[in-house]
Amino acid sequence: MSISSKDKRVTTHRLLEMKQRGEKIAILTAYEYSIAKILDNTGIDVILVGDSASNVMAGHETTVPITLNEMIYHASGVVKGVKRALVVVDLPFGTYQGNSKEALSSAIRIMKETGASAVKMEGGAEVKESVIRILSAGIPVMGHLGLTPQSIHKFGTYVVRAQDKKEAEKLIEDAHLLEEAGVFGIVLEKIPAILGKKVAQSLKIPIIGIGAGNKVDGQILVLHDMLGITQEFSPRFLRRYHNLNKEIHNAVANYIDDVKKVKFPDEKEQY
Ligand code: KIV
């Protein structure tokens, strides 16, 4: 990556150009200022303030309970730490399904109160009206199909989605519908790699995979999972790049030991 492209602000238009020239798009989640600042300095393309914050920050079992106010709190910290990456914020469950007017006011709150550049929404035909209304207000939207965790109570399980013909056809239809509506990209979660490839090849907009194989236009992972902070979650698509859980544990154990043995603070660490 050249210095100029490394420093240039990422826009939705730039993501489209990346797809056109075959450059893969790298996305990670962040939920706070300090971590977002580190991520932005690495040259990551997009930061998603995911509603996975419900799991990894708030300790909920699903993404269903997180509120719009909580997402706004996380996103406004992230935006303050970012100079270059595109910041996308998940619209949480219950703030856009069923009522496009409410969907627009949720998206407007996110844009006004956080300074983020786009929102992400789960679903296809079911949320079309809300997607169109938000887009018509000039707010960029990213779609999310396949395993959509906000619908976990409908699915009943986190197994691979769209394995049968009917569900795969519906996913392809939804992806086309979202592209025609004007979304700038779509996340495909936990679907067969062959289906991920088919969608990426047939659409002009970037298709970002999480468990959708490597023939899509980019990848996203939850930061806490890829850094090994979370340990209980181990789907096949997750590559752990570090064991931060162990590192944090060892650092804290050393600190406790130093305090107990009066090895901390030492002479140089006091006034
Ligand atoms: O909430 C999230 O982190 C997400 C990603 C897993 C795509 O939606």
Side-chain angles (χ1 to χ4, degrees):
M1 193 187 294
S2 69
I3 301 276
S4 58
S5 78
K6 198 171 177 285
D7 293 340
K8 225 166 102 188
R9 183 122 218 165
V10 180
T11 60
T12 56
H13 182 70
R14 218 168 127 199
L15 297 179
L16 186 64
E17 289 174 345
M18 286 169 79
K19 168 157 182 155
Q20 286 162 355
R21 62 172 179 267
E23 181 183 341
K24 298 288 185 188
I25 298 164
I27 310 184
L28 284 171
T29 61
Y31 318 102
E32 51 155 316
Y33 167 79
S34 308
I35 297 286
K37 205 168 171 182
I38 298 173
L39 292 193
D40 196 45
N41 282 330
T42 64
I44 194 90
D45 299 307
V46 179
I47 294 178
L48 172 71
V49 185
D51 59 358
S52 48
S54 183
N55 309 107
V56 300
M57 301 302 286
H60 296 302
E61 229 172 84
T62 72
T63 57
V64 171
I66 198 158
T67 65
L68 186 58
N69 283 343
E70 286 166 339
M71 289 303 295
I72 288 170
Y73 168 78
H74 288 297
S76 46
V78 167
V79 169
K80 288 189 190 81
V82 173
K83 291 200 176 83
R84 177 187 171 276
L86 182 84
V87 179
V88 181
V89 183
D90 263 335
L91 276 175
F93 176 71
T95 65
Y96 63 94
Q97 295 95 341
N99 180 341
S100 65
K101 218 168 153 190
E102 196 188 332
L104 178 58
S105 67
S106 308
I108 287 177
R109 276 201 65 200
I110 286 187
M111 301 301 281
K112 281 178 95 86
E113 295 177 41
T114 73
S117 299
V119 297
K120 178 165 81 59
M121 300 161 66
E122 296 184 4
E126 321 76 37
V127 294
K128 183 180 166 194
E129 218 184 287
S130 296
V131 169
I132 291 173
R133 197 156 189 161
I134 293 172
L135 285 166
S136 69
I139 300 171
V141 175
M142 185 173 213
H144 185 156
L145 299 170
L147 177 64
T148 46
Q150 291 179 11
S151 304
I152 187 58
H153 295 299
K154 182 179 87 182
F155 295 144
T157 157
Y158 287 101
V159 293
V160 180
R161 302 308 313 175
Q163 297 191 82
D164 63 72
K165 197 162 167 248
K166 195 166 161 225
E167 199 178 325
E169 279 170 2
K170 159 99 168 87
L171 187 144
I172 293 169
E173 257 172 48
D174 280 342
H176 282 275
L177 174 148
L178 289 173
E179 179 171 78
E180 275 153 34
V183 305
F184 70 88
I186 300 173
V187 169
L188 293 183
E189 181 164 350
K190 215 169 178 188
I191 59 161
I194 185 124
L195 181 59
K197 178 182 174 187
K198 196 167 174 186
V199 175
Q201 283 179 345
S202 61
L203 265 63
K204 291 191 184 71
I205 54 171
I207 302 301
I208 308 301
I210 172 162
N214 63 10
K215 299 289 189 293
V216 289
D217 307 304
Q219 300 293 330
I220 177 164
L221 284 176
V222 169
L223 186 76
H224 288 59
D225 297 335
M226 62 86 78
L227 289 180
I229 296 174
T230 51
Q231 298 279 305
E232 56 287 342
F233 182 66
S234 274
R236 188 197 295 191
F237 67 72
L238 173 60
R239 184 179 296 179
R240 289 195 205 284
Y241 285 82
H242 204 59
N243 189 345
L244 209 48
N245 188 301
K246 195 168 154 206
E247 298 263 332
I248 293 172
H249 183 99
N250 290 346
V252 172
N254 286 341
Y255 165 74
I256 294 170
D257 199 50
D258 284 352
V259 170
K260 303 277 178 196
K261 293 180 178 152
V262 201
K263 286 184 179 168
F264 173 80
D266 66 17
E267 296 285 300
K268 287 180 263 140
E269 291 162 327
Q270 58 194 16
Y271 301 97

